[in-house]
Amino acid sequence: PTHAILDTMQDFVHLHVHTDFSLLDGASSYKRMIARAKELGQGALAITDHGNMFGALRFYMECKAQGINPIIGCEFYVAPGSRTDRSEGEGRAKYYHLILLAKNEEGYRNLMLLTSRSFTEGMYYKPRIDEELLRQYSGGLVCLSACLAGQLPALLLEGKEAEAEAFVRRYRDIFGDGNYYIELQDHGIREQRQVAPLLIAMARRLG
């Protein structure tokens, strides 16, 4: 029975991963993570550091050396409006999180353009992008809705289901069918367990 279960299991790949290039957040070196993925028999691993791609080249080269397929990405900070807006409305978030992964060379180049412009045009507490840039540089990218700090979970936790659905439809349109995914996390945090059924229902309703 154990072998039957293992034969039907899907390969598991970590797609939301922070290394110690995520300052004050990531705790593990990319070499240790790649070694652990190899030890567990995982064929691929992503890097999605906060707001930067500083570790991407080292990560790529080490993955190749260890026989792991590297997936290059970034956890971006997305401004609630324009990336150039520096105003602070009452109770308004300065930014939301969003995961982007490169599918191909076009996607990798777009990641570089987005990170560069986040620093040169959107810096306000964090290097930010906005929906205008996402529409301009969406080619070759896969988008994940991110953690509790993402806009989709935030809207659902605020009870704004209609706005949340409109958000999902908009981002599915930006990235195209098959390139937008709703992300689930469970680290024992009460809000994660509260929003999970809402995220699942949204994903099932909208495909």
Side-chain angles (χ1 to χ4, degrees):
T2 303
H3 291 299
I5 292 170
L6 290 174
D7 287 343
T8 61
M9 289 177 65
Q10 297 290 320
D11 288 338
F12 180 84
V13 178
H14 285 284
L15 296 178
H16 184 154
V17 183
H18 302 311
T19 74
D20 50 6
F21 282 92
S22 289
L23 301 180
L24 302 179
D25 185 273
S28 181
S29 74
Y30 65 93
K31 286 188 175 182
R32 286 176 55 200
M33 288 196 298
I34 293 166
R36 181 62 172 153
K38 183 176 182 179
E39 180 184 338
L40 294 171
Q42 297 172 2
L45 182 65
I47 182 171
T48 56
D49 282 315
H50 275 295
N52 77 78
M53 295 173 62
F54 303 147
L57 179 59
R58 293 180 177 89
F59 176 84
Y60 175 89
M61 294 179 72
E62 182 67 16
C63 278
K64 287 297 187 181
Q66 298 300 327
I68 301 288
N69 182 32
I71 302 170
I72 306 302
C74 181
E75 182 162 15
F76 283 91
Y77 300 103
V78 183
S82 170
R83 64 191 179 278
T84 61
D85 184 8
R86 306 294 192 266
S87 62
E88 293 188 40
E90 186 177 347
R92 181 182 170 126
K94 297 180 182 72
Y95 49 79
Y96 296 102
H97 294 193
L98 193 73
I99 302 284
L100 297 179
L101 304 170
K103 295 196 299 182
N104 49 35
E105 184 177 346
E106 179 191 14
Y108 178 69
R109 291 182 181 278
N110 280 336
L111 286 179
M112 290 192 291
L113 287 163
L114 286 166
T115 53
S116 294
R117 294 186 68 171
S118 73
F119 279 94
T120 59
E121 301 172 12
M123 180 62 75
Y124 184 60
Y125 291 87
K126 301 287 187 181
R128 305 176 308 162
I129 58 174
D130 58 13
E131 285 193 20
E132 179 188 13
L133 288 180
L134 287 172
R135 290 185 182 277
Q136 191 173 349
Y137 300 114
S138 62
L141 294 174
V142 170
C143 178
L144 312 181
S145 61
C147 55
L148 285 173
Q151 191 168 1
L152 175 60
L155 287 169
L156 288 172
L157 286 171
E158 292 170 8
K160 299 177 180 178
E161 190 164 327
E163 287 184 45
E165 181 167 333
F167 174 86
V168 171
R169 292 183 184 278
R170 191 165 69 250
Y171 271 64
R172 187 175 60 184
D173 177 64
I174 290 172
F175 292 97
D177 287 342
N179 294 319
Y180 178 73
Y181 292 86
I182 292 178
E183 184 173 340
L184 298 174
Q185 294 187 353
D186 186 354
H187 302 104
I189 299 171
R190 179 176 57 83
E191 288 84 0
Q192 286 178 336
R193 293 179 176 174
Q194 180 182 344
V195 79
L198 304 175
L199 291 167
I200 292 168
M202 182 76 69
R204 287 176 173 164
R205 184 163 68 252
L206 300 182

